[in-house]
Amino acid sequence: MARLVGYERKGAMQIHVVRDGDSLYSIGKEYGVDWQKIARENEINPDDILVDGQTIVITGVSDSSKLGAVKVNGYAYPNIADDVLDKTLPFLTFLNLFSYEAREDGSLTPIIVPKAEDEIIAKAVGAGVKPTLVLTNIGAGGNFDSDLAHAILNDPKAVNALIDNVLAAMGAKGYVGLDVDFEFVSPQDREAYNSFLSKAAKRMHDNGYFISCAIPAKEAENTTDVFSGAYDYAAIGSIVDYVTLMTYDWGHAADGAMAVAPIDRVENTVKYAASQMPPSKILMGIPNYGYDWPMPASRTNPGRAIGNTAAVDMARKRNQAIGFDEKSQSPFIEYYDENGKHREIWFEDARSVKAKLALGAKYNLAGFSYWTVNRFWPQNWLILNSMYDVVKK
């Protein structure tokens, strides 16, 4: 297991929820920890006023055994900042670089910034992280395209060409694995998708690569569901090496305001998935984002994505306390913008991510997968490091 340089090896940590009158100094005194260390590890500006309901992770307060070792994946866009990448790589097993786009004839549209791609792969390899090529069915319009997937999956010539082209790109760039992220595949293409994964897996394994795939969350089988009906958990789990469960976006920009990844829905999905495939193949998805919705939120009045740290900054800017919903185990903020309009933010904090990470040990999962790691989220990594060792082989 890798040592995460600069972070405490002690397993135990405390999550402090800020109360009225708290300061970094008083919190440090309460736990017997240097307040400057707390500020540094949580990346809090010492001059910032703390917000009621804000969470702060206190590390090194006592010794405690960890829950085990996990594999950790992070999806990244090629525009990830150098400093964010450098700080994140110590916590990752895999880095899934987003994305190569499949075309109807089996050709590929590569990542459009090849210099950044090459540099990211080199950094990942240098940090002992496995760089993974992400293959998507994103169409010319910039969205996941069910018609594009249908055309490819039902054309044996296109399937063979696509796998050939993926292998060529992996060899040329130095990827060591393939992640298939085909979304909104039509339920009618369920068997065709399984067949494609089987062919791709054989070719990957024959060439010394691993294969993973990302699949939508579902709590029970429904073969006609537009979003998840095509994804046969049992079949997929028997084919690929790892499966990322996209256990997020129950609260979505175009839907009503709610927790992005409510713990009950996340656990229901994990429990169902673990009954259909080996838990040792499952990487549970964790969102590194929230949404800021105008109220009332709707498809015609959608929310906007916001980082978890940025959500706390918004609460500070508005001098607004942070609430916490016990049922979903998720924080939220209600505020009025400069135009006097009511808005609501649901996001993730130390409490919510700790609850999610605990499911890894409860269900003996392979580990976790973050969408995305383009924003650095210090509290998440502090908690992950306190609960688990990260596999780096």
Side-chain angles (χ1 to χ4, degrees):
M1 308 310 163
R3 181 182 176 99
L4 305 180
V5 179
Y7 289 83
E8 294 281 350
R9 287 295 293 174
K10 292 179 179 179
M13 56 82 199
Q14 294 287 334
I15 296 174
H16 180 86
V17 181
V18 172
R19 304 163 300 219
D20 185 37
D22 277 349
S23 67
L24 288 172
Y25 177 79
S26 69
I27 294 169
K29 187 175 180 180
E30 180 177 343
Y31 292 94
V33 177
D34 178 39
W35 71 267
Q36 292 176 314
K37 175 179 179 288
I38 296 172
R40 183 173 62 254
E41 290 188 340
N42 287 267
E43 295 199 355
I44 296 173
N45 185 330
D47 295 328
D48 283 345
I49 297 172
L50 301 182
V51 180
D52 285 6
Q54 177 180 352
T55 56
I56 296 176
V57 178
I58 318 293
T59 66
V61 291
S62 63
D63 286 308
S64 176
S65 59
K66 297 193 180 186
L67 299 177
V70 290
K71 296 174 182 178
V72 181
N73 173 58
Y75 283 92
Y77 288 102
N79 64 346
I80 186 171
D82 288 342
D83 66 319
V84 172
L85 181 63
D86 292 342
K87 290 189 291 186
T88 303
L89 285 173
F91 301 101
L92 300 182
T93 310
F94 312 104
L95 182 69
N96 285 11
L97 201 50
F98 200 86
S99 75
Y100 279 66
E101 298 170 3
R103 293 292 166 251
E104 282 193 22
D105 60 358
S107 60
L108 284 175
T109 298
I111 289 174
I112 61 174
V113 191
K115 183 175 184 295
E117 179 187 10
D118 294 340
E119 291 174 351
I120 291 169
I121 291 171
K123 279 193 171 185
V125 171
V129 176
K130 297 176 175 64
T132 307
L133 184 150
V134 179
L135 177 68
T136 66
N137 61 318
I138 293 176
N143 298 311
F144 288 98
D145 189 330
S146 58
D147 291 335
L148 173 61
H150 176 79
I152 295 169
L153 297 176
N154 291 280
D155 182 348
K157 184 177 178 181
V159 165
N160 290 332
L162 180 58
I163 296 171
D164 286 342
N165 288 323
V166 166
L167 283 168
M170 291 171 69
K173 291 292 185 177
Y175 289 104
V176 299
L178 168 67
D179 182 67
V180 177
D181 185 11
F182 272 32
E183 299 185 27
F184 291 97
V185 175
S186 297
Q188 64 177 317
D189 292 322
R190 181 180 172 104
E191 294 306 320
Y193 179 67
N194 290 343
S195 175
F196 166 67
L197 284 180
S198 294
K199 291 178 181 178
K202 184 178 188 308
R203 295 287 303 280
M204 292 302 124
H205 293 155
D206 287 348
N207 284 274
Y209 299 121
F210 67 85
I211 182 171
S212 61
C213 68
I215 58 177
K218 58 181 172 183
E219 299 162 64
E221 187 58 273
N222 182 349
T223 59
T224 62
D225 184 81
V226 173
F227 185 54
S228 66
Y231 304 89
D232 182 338
Y233 275 23
I236 292 169
S238 71
I239 295 168
V240 301
D241 301 302
Y242 302 104
V243 175
T244 288
L245 297 179
M246 294 188 286
T247 39
Y248 35 71
D249 260 12
W250 278 278
H252 184 267
D255 297 324
M258 63 173 285
V260 173
I263 192 67
D264 55 339
R265 306 296 300 273
V266 172
E267 182 165 11
N268 287 345
T269 298
V270 169
K271 186 175 182 179
Y272 172 66
S275 75
Q276 300 297 303
M277 65 180 77
S280 59
K281 291 188 175 186
I282 296 173
L283 300 173
M284 188 189 83
I286 295 179
N288 184 19
Y289 64 92
Y291 288 109
D292 180 354
W293 284 276
M295 299 300 289
S298 68
R299 291 189 179 276
T300 57
N301 197 33
R304 61 194 180 205
I306 186 170
N308 296 317
T309 301
V312 177
D313 291 339
M314 178 66 77
R316 180 180 299 108
K317 179 181 177 182
R318 300 289 176 185
N319 193 29
Q320 181 64 53
I322 297 170
F324 191 76
D325 180 66
E326 292 292 340
K327 182 177 186 297
S328 66
Q329 287 287 291
S330 298
F332 63 91
I333 303 164
E334 292 188 77
Y335 73 100
Y336 289 85
D337 65 19
E338 56 277 4
N339 298 314
K341 300 296 185 181
H342 182 203
R343 301 187 70 92
E344 197 166 297
I345 301 173
W346 288 80
F347 63 109
E348 303 292 329
D349 70 1
R351 293 165 291 185
S352 67
V353 77
K354 182 183 178 185
K356 291 176 177 62
L357 290 174
L359 296 177
K362 182 175 181 179
Y363 290 94
N364 297 310
L365 305 183
F368 309 99
S369 180
Y370 289 84
W371 181 269
T372 68
V373 294
N374 276 56
R375 300 182 180 101
F376 190 66
W377 184 15
Q379 292 192 343
N380 168 78
W381 304 119
L382 291 171
I383 294 171
L384 176 73
N385 182 48
S386 77
M387 296 174 71
Y388 299 99
D389 284 312
V390 177
V391 175
K392 301 290 280 189
K393 293 182 180 179

